[in-house]
């Protein structure tokens, strides 16, 4: 348990906070590859129908690790930076899975720490892609903790966050990513919330730029 383990996790991730750089397009699943042998919802990444549809569930991953004493802060709880690192790693794995290649973190929205994590807790992070633009992706992450020696308690939600990733090519330049295939109302709701977060981010940037001290 001391190491980090990557596995798929078909668990719903709550919509979180953050926006992306550009507006994407939702592709209803009923339109994918209709009559062509090729998905109309992807930008050059699928040549046949053997490649899975890039739904939010397709990108979903989980990381799990046992928290040890070196991760503790002066209060004896696990340092928030350790939780942020795990969340970022989870988001990166989800972004890579969706985009089919390298992706880098470009922003993290407000991260909410809801409860302390203790040494000896098993921490699990659940991440999935919530929104995509041309080359950017918003990934939501949910962080849960449970005592390694007490199986009678349900895992506790201890933190949540969202990240913006940009897919890059071999030269480090942004590259197009597959569009996100929306299967249900919950995913559609999360997409719309991500667009709201994006709008807030852009508005905040415009205000800051306008008020910048020369």
């Amino acid at each position: 348990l001391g190491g980090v383990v990557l596995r798929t996790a078909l668990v719903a991730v709550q919509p979180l906070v953050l926006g992306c750089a550009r507006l994407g397009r939702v592709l209803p699943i009923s339109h994918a590859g209709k009559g062509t042998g090729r998905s109309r919802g992807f930008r050059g990444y699928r040549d046949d129908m053997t490649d899975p549809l890039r739904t939010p569930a397709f990108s979903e991953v989980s990381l799990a690790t046992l928290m040890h004493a070196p991760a503790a802060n002066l209060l004896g709880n696990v340092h928030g930076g350790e939780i942020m690192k795990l969340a970022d790693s989870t988001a990166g794995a989800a972004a890579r899975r969706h985009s089919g290649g390298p992706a880098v973190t470009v922003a993290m929205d407000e991260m909410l720490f809801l409860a302390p994590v203790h040494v000896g807790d098993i921490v699990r992070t659940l991440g999935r892609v919530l929104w995509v633009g041309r080359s950017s992706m918003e990934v939501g992450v949910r962080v849960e903790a449970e005592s390694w020696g007490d199986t009678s308690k349900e895992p506790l939600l201890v933190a949540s966050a969202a990240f913006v990733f940009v897919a890059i090519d071999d030269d480090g330049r942004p590259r197009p990513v597959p569009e996100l295939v929306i299967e249900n109302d919950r995913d559609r709701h999360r997409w719309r919330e991500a667009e709201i977060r994006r709008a807030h981010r852009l508005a905040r940037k415009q205000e800051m730029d306008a008020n910048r001290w020369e």
Side-chain angles (χ1 to χ4, degrees):
L1 291 175
V4 175
V5 180
L6 174 64
R7 62 181 177 84
T8 58
L10 299 179
V11 181
V13 178
Q14 297 299 320
L16 301 167
V17 282
L18 202 60
C20 289
R22 297 190 59 178
L23 179 63
R25 179 169 64 88
V26 177
L27 174 69
I29 193 169
S30 59
H31 292 168
K34 186 175 181 180
T36 64
R38 177 188 179 96
S39 170
R40 288 168 21 191
F42 294 81
R43 298 185 177 95
Y45 281 79
R46 291 184 72 221
D47 293 325
D48 55 56
M49 293 303 292
T50 62
D51 190 23
L53 293 176
R54 302 298 172 92
T55 63
F58 174 83
S59 68
E60 196 165 82
V61 296
S62 175
L63 299 178
T65 187
L66 178 65
M67 307 312 297
H68 295 280
N73 58 23
L74 295 178
L75 298 178
N77 301 322
V78 173
H79 197 286
E82 296 290 333
I83 304 302
M84 293 175 67
K85 180 180 178 180
L86 287 172
D88 184 41
S89 296
T90 306
R96 183 180 181 93
R97 174 169 292 183
H98 176 85
S99 67
V104 295
T105 311
V106 297
M108 185 187 75
D109 203 283
E110 175 183 76
M111 185 164 187
L112 303 177
F113 293 96
L114 307 174
V117 178
H118 306 288
V119 173
D121 283 351
I122 298 173
V123 173
R124 291 188 176 89
T125 52
L126 307 173
R128 63 158 54 188
V129 173
L130 304 178
W131 183 96
V132 300
R134 185 177 184 278
S135 60
S136 60
M137 298 160 280
E138 177 181 323
V139 184
V141 179
R142 175 185 177 94
V143 185
E144 297 179 345
E146 61 179 301
S147 173
W148 70 273
D150 186 356
T151 59
S152 64
K153 295 181 180 179
E154 292 293 323
L156 178 66
L157 177 64
V158 296
S160 64
F163 297 80
V164 174
F165 278 77
V166 169
I168 58 173
D169 60 19
D170 292 339
D171 297 319
R173 293 190 295 262
R175 61 179 173 83
V177 299
E179 295 192 15
L180 194 62
V181 180
I182 299 302
E183 293 183 296
N184 53 56
D185 290 339
R186 175 177 292 181
D187 289 340
R188 187 172 294 107
H189 175 74
R190 290 168 175 165
W191 175 285
R192 290 170 180 168
E193 288 194 332
E195 290 184 325
I196 294 172
R197 291 190 290 270
R198 171 186 175 272
H200 289 172
R201 285 171 55 84
L202 293 176
R204 183 171 65 247
K205 182 179 184 301
Q206 290 174 357
E207 286 193 43
M208 295 296 291
D209 290 345
N211 194 49
R212 192 175 304 278
W213 179 266
E214 298 294 343

